[in-house]
Amino acid sequence: MKTFFAAALAVFTASSANALNILLSNDDGFASAQLVETFRLLKANGHNVVCVASADNESGQGGRAVFTTNKTLAVASEFNIIPAGAPSLARSPIDPDIWYYNGTPAAQVFVALDYVIPTFYNNRTTDLFVGGPNFGNNLGPFLYTLSGTMGGTYSAVGRGLPGIAFSGGNSEQRSYTWINKTTPSGSPDPATIQATLAVNLVQQLIKNTAPGKRVLPLGYGINVNTPVITSLTNNSCINPPYIQTRFTGSAFTDTAVYNATTGLFGYANYLGAGVNRCINGDCSLPGETAVVGSGCFTSVSVFTVDYDAPTGSDQDTVRAGLGPLVTYQKKSRAMYARDDEREVRELIERMPVHGGSF
């Protein structure tokens, strides 16, 4: 199996012409095993990688951009790698290009794009954002809004970057220092395999993209979920094939569960009709939740950050229900393009300059 993974990486090794400037981040922390392995393999493939990740676990933050109000860490970072009292933003001891920041995933992205890269990397262009791989899956529309991994990714896509979020079924929070060089199965550590799966997909996109072109259209991102990698004990799931999927389809949202003994609420999965209706995209694709749950498969779902409802009978029904209070003015596509460009320029000119701490 070691030969297989070496060959897989060799096939996708980037040439210098296809090397990208990549921003890497996550919500599990700068020292997580899967993040550090992804950083290592992206660098091994010739890419210029800057990683700005959380000082501690920031899972479940969604797209909230929360910047620390302290210049130093009030408590030690995850795994006690960075002591309390250290700067809230700094290079990590793992690698000079792996930074930690005491903020939410979206805030990490903005600090990277607006401070770290301009200040310390000569303001170089960022070609791709990679989020994760996360410890645990992020499947379906509900977790799209809830996940910090997804929140960082769609924040980057909103800033104009191609973005890919990776989430793996192995949910144990593991440090990069815990990566096993050998396993009982003879295959690499799950963190190394999860990183390999992520890097191979990145490399496939690059291979099919002309040099100098975007790997994804503007406003587009990809959500990738891999199953539990079993290499710590056996080889039953170490090379899950990639399947194109969609967000909806067997997806869950939450339901509140009351505990009469404690008087408190918890949550459980709820298979809701609203979260599973196919409205946009290719409705023939299988749902990512069903694909990953069915066995050793990797789901790959393409998304956009345009949340507008599509045109059609449902839109007409809603529009009719809003009239005449809400007026409808139809413009040509060319008019939209000109107006959108002008409105963006005017909005930028009117925007106040916000101060605050990193």
Side-chain angles (χ1 to χ4, degrees):
M1 290 301 169
K2 292 178 182 177
T3 302
F4 166 79
F5 283 102
L9 285 175
V11 168
F12 291 111
T13 299
S15 67
S16 59
N18 290 327
L20 300 184
N21 295 328
I22 296 176
L23 172 59
L24 176 67
S25 188
N26 74 351
D27 68 358
D28 293 315
F30 71 98
S32 73
Q34 297 181 172
L35 177 85
V36 174
E37 282 294 85
T38 301
F39 175 86
R40 179 179 68 82
L41 294 179
L42 287 170
K43 297 269 281 193
N45 276 268
H47 301 297
N48 304 309
V49 187
V50 174
C51 175
V52 179
S54 53
D56 209 336
N57 190 345
E58 292 283 348
S59 295
Q61 295 284 6
R64 299 172 67 231
V66 180
F67 301 92
T68 183
T69 57
N70 298 316
K71 290 185 177 180
T72 59
L73 298 179
V75 298
S77 75
E78 64 176 358
F79 311 117
N80 293 312
I81 294 172
I82 309 297
S88 62
L89 169 68
R91 298 179 191 268
S92 79
I94 305 170
D95 185 281
D97 293 328
I98 296 180
W99 295 67
Y100 69 86
Y101 174 64
N102 192 25
T104 60
Q108 296 160 30
V109 171
F110 302 144
V111 167
L113 293 176
D114 301 324
Y115 180 74
V116 173
I117 292 174
T119 305
F120 299 98
Y121 296 91
N122 199 30
N123 202 26
R124 72 188 186 198
T125 300
T126 301
D127 302 309
L128 174 67
F129 175 83
V130 173
N134 187 63
F135 291 124
N137 289 132
N138 287 305
L139 296 159
F142 177 64
L143 286 176
Y144 174 89
T145 64
L146 180 66
S147 159
T149 300
M150 290 302 301
T153 302
Y154 61 67
S155 295
V157 174
R159 286 289 296 266
L161 301 180
I164 311 174
F166 293 95
S167 300
N170 302 74
S171 58
E172 180 188 5
Q173 300 278 333
R174 302 174 67 216
S175 166
Y176 76 100
T177 61
W178 304 352
I179 297 171
N180 298 283
K181 293 184 178 179
T182 60
T183 65
S185 70
S187 298
D189 187 276
T192 303
I193 295 178
Q194 295 282 11
T196 301
L197 294 168
V199 172
N200 280 352
L201 189 138
V202 169
Q203 294 301 103
Q204 184 65 72
L205 274 174
I206 295 170
K207 180 182 177 182
N208 291 331
T209 303
K213 299 295 184 181
R214 296 176 59 97
V215 296
L216 292 172
L218 182 64
Y220 276 69
I222 297 177
N223 184 35
V224 180
N225 281 272
T226 55
V228 173
I229 299 301
T230 62
S231 61
L232 285 180
T233 56
N234 60 69
N235 287 333
S236 63
C237 186
I238 60 170
N239 187 29
Y242 302 85
I243 308 295
Q244 186 174 357
T245 52
R246 59 179 294 108
F247 278 76
T248 57
S250 300
F252 295 100
T253 184
D254 277 357
T255 182
V257 179
Y258 179 69
N259 186 317
T261 302
T262 64
L264 300 174
F265 290 91
Y267 72 91
N269 287 335
Y270 179 81
L271 189 65
V275 80
N276 280 296
R277 184 187 176 193
C278 179
I279 299 174
N280 293 312
D282 185 351
C283 294
S284 69
L285 292 174
E288 58 187 13
T289 307
V291 166
V292 175
S294 67
C296 187
F297 299 100
T298 296
S299 66
V300 181
S301 300
V302 180
F303 68 88
T304 73
V305 292
D306 182 358
Y307 304 131
D308 283 282
T311 57
S313 60
D314 286 347
Q315 175 77 285
D316 293 340
T317 299
V318 174
R319 183 176 293 144
L322 293 171
L325 179 66
V326 179
T327 59
Y328 169 59
Q329 181 179 1
K330 188 173 183 179
K331 298 186 290 186
S332 70
R333 184 175 295 272
M335 288 175 64
Y336 271 118
R338 290 194 301 270
D339 289 351
D340 286 350
E341 183 179 355
R342 185 186 69 251
E343 289 169 5
V344 167
R345 286 199 305 268
E346 292 175 351
L347 178 62
I348 291 174
E349 291 172 356
R350 292 197 305 269
M351 284 177 62
V353 177
H354 294 288
S357 300
F358 282 119

